[in-house]
Amino acid sequence: MAEKGHSEGARPFFIARRIDSHRRLKYISLAVLVVQNASLILSIRYARTLPGDRFFATTAVVMAEVLKGLTCLLLLFAQKRGNVKHLVLFLHEAVLVQYMDTLKLAVPSLIYTLQNNLQYVAISNLPAATFQVTYQLKILTTALFSVLMLNRSLSRLQWASLLLLFTGVAIVQAQQAGGGGPRPLDQNPGVGLAAVVASCLSSGFAGVYFEKILKGSSGSVWLRNLQLGLFGTALGLVGLWWAEGTAVAHRGFFFGYTPAVWGVVLNQAFGGLLVAVVVKYADNILKGFATSLSIVLSTVASIRLFGFHVDPLFALGAGLVIGAVYLYSLPRGAAKAIASASAPTSGPCTHQQPPGQPPPPQLSSHHGDLSTEPFLPKLLTKVKGS
């Protein structure tokens, strides 16, 4: 009996420790997402605006895909405990024998390669803060493609937040078109905006298509990224040859590469993989926080590094986008609570349980009520039931 009482007494302690551990992981995930989102855009902007020889963006895209593929290959090698034979047999089965699953990744890989090249075009022609705000249109395109391709339904609050998002981006672009501060002569805001919109459309379609074709399919995240890396490298080389083949052949693949350029390449290659590792600890609310904080961080850094001027119009548009991102990321339970709180009621209670009916369950269909707290672990329900 004493041992049983001791074990029961220790149980809440271990549960509390697991909760604290997962809460710390969520804060770490938040920091990683914020830094990766902001640093990639800032580093590209910095590398593209440095004086001197400008590197070829298509070569940077190819190098990032090569490094990403090699990293995933090493991780799979480690999973096979360093057994080369097992790794070769595994890759033969997963890539060649199951070639239909591999070919399914060709379409999203093509779109992601196009998107990466468009990002360079956009950031080369827009201030980093303006790009960061405008690029949130990918939330709108992803939502629309989800409704069209996956038959998903959005809440009224989500539709309202998408309208708010579009309004905020339009205000920021109006500020940019109106001459929001001096800009270099080699920058074309119209080209930058077109590249951002095309990148957002490709990002939304590729993300939803990738989710649709891989539903129910097996394969680790490292295997999928290796397959994407293989297609990305091949397609990136085709794009390089088509867009800048003659110039690259004349000046060299690594023409214009500086430590800043290598920093961009490494950030693109490893930043996405790092996010793939930590994103399992990040729910939608935390991702919304990360996006909002990265916008603020990019704006502050742009003021410091590039002399970016923040006027009231930009502040208004960016504020609307940040608010829209947060509202869109709210779980449906919280969204319904906000909607019901803002709706008129006829009395102190908006819903009465009919007599003779059992009370409704208190847990929502979205991981339970406790999981709506941004920094509570998703595994909390497992701990409670274990």
Side-chain angles (χ1 to χ4, degrees):
M1 293 292 293
E3 292 181 358
K4 183 177 180 181
H6 177 72
S7 62
E8 290 180 353
R11 186 181 182 87
F13 172 76
F14 289 113
I15 293 176
R17 288 192 62 179
R18 288 187 66 179
I19 293 174
D20 290 339
S21 174
H22 284 285
R23 184 181 286 114
R24 283 195 298 270
L25 288 174
K26 285 216 167 190
Y27 279 110
I28 294 172
S29 302
L30 174 63
V32 169
L33 291 172
V34 170
V35 171
Q36 203 277 332
N37 283 340
S39 65
L40 178 60
I41 294 167
L42 291 170
S43 61
I44 293 177
R45 177 68 179 178
Y46 178 75
R48 295 298 279 178
T49 55
L50 281 176
D53 296 328
R54 177 175 287 189
F55 68 98
F56 299 111
T58 51
T59 64
V61 172
V62 171
M63 279 304 303
E65 292 297 328
V66 170
L67 291 176
K68 183 173 69 174
L70 290 176
T71 302
C72 292
L73 187 62
L74 288 175
L75 291 170
L76 290 172
F77 181 65
Q79 285 184 351
K80 300 303 176 183
R81 302 183 182 277
N83 192 311
V84 177
K85 181 180 179 181
H86 287 176
L87 177 64
V88 171
L89 291 175
F90 169 76
L91 292 178
H92 177 267
E93 174 69 24
V95 178
L96 298 179
V97 176
Q98 300 180 23
Y99 65 93
M100 290 303 297
D101 277 348
T102 303
L103 290 176
K104 287 179 181 179
L105 296 174
V107 173
S109 182
L110 171 63
I111 299 174
Y112 284 136
T113 303
L114 173 65
Q115 175 192 343
N116 290 335
N117 282 282
L118 287 171
Q119 281 186 351
Y120 279 98
V121 176
I123 298 174
S124 299
N125 288 279
L126 291 173
T130 303
F131 172 84
Q132 182 75 291
V133 172
T134 309
Y135 193 55
Q136 302 315 311
L137 280 176
K138 65 183 179 180
I139 298 175
L140 172 63
T141 59
T142 302
L144 294 178
F145 282 120
S146 296
V147 171
L148 295 174
M149 297 173 61
L150 300 178
N151 296 321
R152 282 186 179 155
S153 60
L154 302 179
S155 66
R156 292 181 179 178
L157 182 63
Q158 286 178 317
W159 283 114
S161 66
L162 292 177
L163 178 60
L164 195 67
L165 174 71
F166 184 82
T167 304
V169 170
I171 291 174
V172 169
Q173 286 302 318
Q175 177 264 356
Q176 181 69 24
R183 62 173 179 262
L185 295 176
D186 60 343
Q187 293 185 19
N188 188 330
V191 173
L193 176 60
V196 173
V197 172
S199 182
C200 291
L201 287 170
S202 61
S203 174
F205 177 78
V208 174
Y209 180 84
F210 188 68
E211 178 182 354
K212 181 175 177 140
I213 65 175
L214 292 184
K215 273 189 173 180
S217 65
S218 59
S220 68
V221 64
W222 309 127
L223 174 62
R224 296 308 180 196
N225 275 283
L226 173 61
Q227 292 169 317
L228 285 173
L230 292 174
F231 281 114
T233 301
L235 295 169
L237 288 172
V238 172
L240 184 154
W241 171 80
W242 181 75
E244 299 171 322
T246 304
V248 171
H250 176 67
R251 296 187 173 184
F253 188 91
F254 297 106
F255 174 79
Y257 271 56
T258 63
V261 177
W262 280 110
V264 171
V265 172
L266 293 175
N267 196 334
Q268 272 198 318
F270 301 126
L273 295 177
L274 185 61
V275 170
V277 173
V278 303
V279 77
K280 64 181 179 179
Y281 300 106
D283 53 24
N284 285 333
I285 297 178
L286 188 135
K287 292 176 189 175
F289 277 130
T291 301
S292 301
L293 290 175
S294 65
I295 292 175
V296 175
L297 181 60
S298 296
T299 303
V300 173
S302 295
I303 296 172
R304 181 82 174 179
L305 295 175
F306 311 119
F308 181 71
H309 175 67
V310 177
D311 60 13
L313 204 58
F314 177 87
L316 173 62
L320 290 176
V321 170
I322 291 173
V325 170
Y326 174 73
L327 291 175
Y328 185 83
S329 64
L330 289 176
R332 283 183 179 268
K336 289 180 180 178
I338 293 176
S340 62
S342 61
T345 58
S346 57
C349 182
T350 59
H351 174 74
Q352 293 183 350
Q353 183 68 21
Q357 295 290 333
Q362 297 299 312
L363 295 180
S364 70
S365 60
H366 300 276
H367 307 292
D369 55 351
L370 289 174
S371 66
T372 59
E373 162 63 35
F375 301 109
L376 283 182
K378 291 181 180 178
L379 296 179
L380 183 60
T381 53
K382 295 183 180 179
V383 175
K384 288 173 63 180
S386 60

